Amino acid sequence: MNNIESPFVFGRKVTGESFTDRETETQRLLNNFNNRINTILISPRRWGKSSLVKKAGNMAENEGLTVLFIDAFSLRDPSEFYATLATGVLKATSGKIELWIDMVKRFLSRLTPKFSFGADPLNSFELSFELDEIEKGYREILDLPEKIADEKNIRIVICIDEFQNTALFQDSLLFHKRLRSAWQEHQQVTYCLYGSRQHMMAALFEKQSMPFYRFGENIFLEKIQMNDWIAFIRERFSATGKNITDEMASKIASTVDCHSYYVQQLSHLVWQRTYHTADDTIYNHACLDLLSQNEILYLRETELLSETQLHFLKAVAAGITENYNSKKVMSEYKMGTSANISKIKKALQEKEIIELSNNKIDFVDPVYKLWFKRKILKMDL
Ligand SMILES: Nc1ncnc2c1ncn2[C@@H]1O[C@H](COP(=O)(O)OP(=O)(O)OP(=O)(O)O)[C@@H](O)[C@H]1O
Ligand SMILES: [Mg+2]
């Protein structure tokens, strides 16, 4: 239809023009970074944590802090974590190989890390540690940023994305205890831990028995509000010479329940089909596109459900949000006993398929819910 690049971005961190709102949250994070308050940021998937922390982190850098981003998603064990941390800290605080070697000698004296260099040593150097070394020297690695910050008279912010992934490490409890006891001593280093499995993150940071209890300020990211989305969608359309009414923009945001990723995806699909002005026909087609583009994921998610979980979800999709224990609901949706129901609920919450808010149960993923209604309940939308 045209060759202009879409003004809507989804599936990666958004910056600049593609990033909207979140002013209060950005400021709150920035304040925490400046005031050395550790932050834990939690939300369901794809609401915008990574983009937000990146934005606040970049602003903190402009204000003179040294900011380091680590993604724990692909780390499999503590030694990979320690290696990534040490490498990241060295890279963020110095641009010279000689200085890294010097710092390693002085600050990691109990360890003999392996250095490996790629073609461009400044960007592709990595440290690694032998497993048995870590046992003797983990504390030195954890204290490395604090030592360097002290010596260079700088302040460091360490942002760790997908932090909940570290809970899957073997002996994660011990590992977390070690992190907590080192990090709470740090004066010059601030930590920002964030991640998407809400359930796992909450288990790490809200249980009194867990090492990270009261580690910092817990922030639950809210959704971006309807009015901000409307303004954003209209502006993005007009920036590319197309039109959309407030009403249509609001329809997009409400269809996907203001879910950040999906607002951008559905907006893109409407934008793509629009020549001059978005209308209802375009919107309806775009909604079908949205469902079909995500269908593989939803099918997979649905295949993994047990029979009773499927029945339970049918009840939720049909609009029943409470009183699952009533005889009528239990028999209509073939859910067995009420003991069964609490098990089903728990399992579906752990899978992050449903969430409980204000004592009402709903799908976590608004578009999965739409798809489910259409394909499983055969409802017209
Ligand atoms: N502030 C924002 N303004 C506009 N769109 C946003 C914003 N934040 C997030 N999005 C949209 O949501 C998508 C997901 O954002 P991001 O990756 O930051 O979320 P996340 O919560 O870290 O996701 P995940 O749970 O997958 O880690 C982005 O690709 C973008 O489409
Ligand atoms: Mg993320």
Side-chain angles (χ1 to χ4, degrees):
M1 206 176 285
N2 51 48
N3 294 319
I4 319 167
E5 198 184 330
S6 172
F8 297 102
V9 175
F10 51 97
R12 54 192 154 88
K13 287 192 272 272
V14 286
T15 56
E17 299 276 87
S18 305
F19 186 100
T20 183
D21 187 44
R22 298 258 185 250
E23 276 144 38
T24 332
E25 297 94 331
T26 310
Q27 205 49 51
R28 194 156 157 207
L29 279 181
L30 195 58
N31 281 345
N32 284 1
F33 296 166
N34 278 318
N35 293 305
R36 294 181 280 182
I37 299 168
N38 298 323
T39 309
I40 294 100
L41 178 68
I42 305 181
S43 83
R45 294 212 56 200
R46 295 179 177 166
W47 282 24
K49 295 169 296 294
S50 301
S51 304
L52 172 64
V53 175
K54 185 79 180 131
K55 173 159 185 177
N58 288 347
M59 286 167 78
E61 262 172 344
N62 290 336
E63 293 183 9
L65 302 182
T66 298
V67 184
L68 158 64
F69 298 93
I70 292 176
D71 187 350
F73 187 71
S74 56
L75 304 177
R76 281 162 307 173
D77 57 39
S79 67
E80 286 191 4
F81 178 90
Y82 289 123
T84 305
L85 179 69
T87 305
V89 168
L90 293 177
K91 278 186 192 169
T93 53
S94 166
K96 287 212 181 82
I97 303 173
E98 305 84 67
L99 291 177
W100 295 333
I101 295 172
D102 171 63
M103 286 194 278
V104 166
K105 270 197 198 133
R106 286 188 298 123
F107 297 140
L108 304 181
S109 59
R110 304 168 70 99
L111 294 145
T112 39
K114 273 207 278 301
F115 278 88
S116 48
F117 295 97
D120 169 12
L122 281 191
N123 289 312
S124 57
F125 106 89
E126 306 286 338
L127 283 185
S128 57
F129 303 97
E130 296 290 338
L131 218 53
D132 55 332
E133 268 195 319
I134 298 266
E135 283 308 304
K136 300 181 297 199
Y138 68 86
R139 182 67 193 233
E140 286 192 330
I141 303 171
L142 290 174
D143 288 339
L144 181 68
E146 175 77 2
K147 295 257 175 60
I148 294 179
D150 252 343
E151 187 171 272
K152 293 182 153 248
N153 201 16
I154 55 171
R155 297 257 293 277
I156 302 179
V157 180
I158 300 185
C159 304
I160 308 181
D161 203 348
E162 305 290 356
F163 186 78
Q164 80 288 343
N165 196 45
T166 62
L168 303 173
F169 293 174
Q170 227 175 8
D171 281 332
S172 66
L173 191 61
L174 175 67
F175 172 67
H176 284 153
K177 278 185 185 155
R178 288 173 170 177
L179 300 191
R180 169 79 196 241
S181 64
W183 289 353
Q184 70 189 6
E185 303 292 328
H186 293 174
Q187 300 297 320
Q188 308 307 330
V189 188
T190 310
Y191 296 87
C192 176
L193 312 176
Y194 48 119
S196 47
R197 300 295 301 269
Q198 208 177 352
H199 203 80
M200 286 171 80
M201 285 293 282
L204 283 178
F205 294 99
E206 285 165 21
K207 282 203 184 129
Q208 216 166 340
S209 59
M210 297 299 271
F212 277 102
Y213 184 66
R214 298 228 165 133
F215 173 64
E217 185 186 22
N218 291 358
I219 300 181
F220 290 87
L221 193 62
E222 305 276 328
K223 279 181 177 165
I224 294 170
Q225 302 288 309
M226 178 64 87
N227 283 345
D228 292 307
W229 281 128
I230 294 174
F232 174 76
I233 295 168
R234 291 203 64 168
E235 186 280 324
R236 298 276 71 204
F237 265 74
S238 77
T240 44
K242 301 187 187 188
N243 295 311
I244 187 164
T245 58
D246 273 5
E247 196 196 346
M248 188 62 74
S250 122
K251 222 159 141 179
I252 293 178
S254 68
T255 300
V256 298
D257 215 4
C258 289
H259 182 291
S260 304
Y261 176 96
Y262 287 132
V263 173
Q264 293 252 21
Q265 188 177 20
L266 183 53
S267 301
H268 163 75
L269 294 168
V270 172
W271 177 90
Q272 199 178 32
R273 288 176 172 271
T274 300
Y275 196 67
H276 288 300
T277 305
D279 60 28
D280 277 324
T281 317
I282 292 174
Y283 167 82
N284 290 336
H285 279 118
C287 286
L288 294 177
D289 290 345
L290 179 71
L291 294 179
S292 70
Q293 290 195 0
N294 292 295
E295 180 151 39
I296 298 178
L297 291 173
Y298 303 151
L299 278 171
R300 198 175 307 141
E301 186 108 273
T302 311
E303 274 166 18
L304 294 172
L305 298 170
S306 73
E307 193 79 10
T308 45
Q309 288 170 354
L310 186 66
H311 290 316
F312 186 88
L313 275 189
K314 283 183 187 170
V316 179
I320 299 169
T321 56
E322 51 199 345
N323 296 330
Y324 295 93
N325 291 331
S326 79
K327 275 220 166 68
K328 185 168 171 290
V329 176
M330 286 204 309
S331 72
E332 191 177 337
Y333 289 95
K334 308 187 197 89
M335 290 187 290
T337 63
S338 47
N340 252 351
I341 294 192
S342 23
K343 260 207 318 226
I344 300 170
K345 261 198 236 172
K346 189 159 172 265
L348 289 174
Q349 266 177 307
E350 271 163 16
K351 289 184 177 189
E352 314 264 322
I353 293 178
I354 58 166
E355 67 189 337
L356 189 72
S357 79
N358 301 326
N359 270 326
K360 295 213 187 318
I361 287 182
D362 206 352
F363 279 66
V364 172
D365 184 326
V367 181
Y368 181 45
K369 183 177 181 180
L370 287 179
W371 177 88
F372 196 95
K373 279 172 142 172
R374 209 182 139 85
K375 287 285 159 114
I376 309 288
L377 299 185
K378 314 281 183 216
M379 286 165 75
D380 279 336
L381 299 176

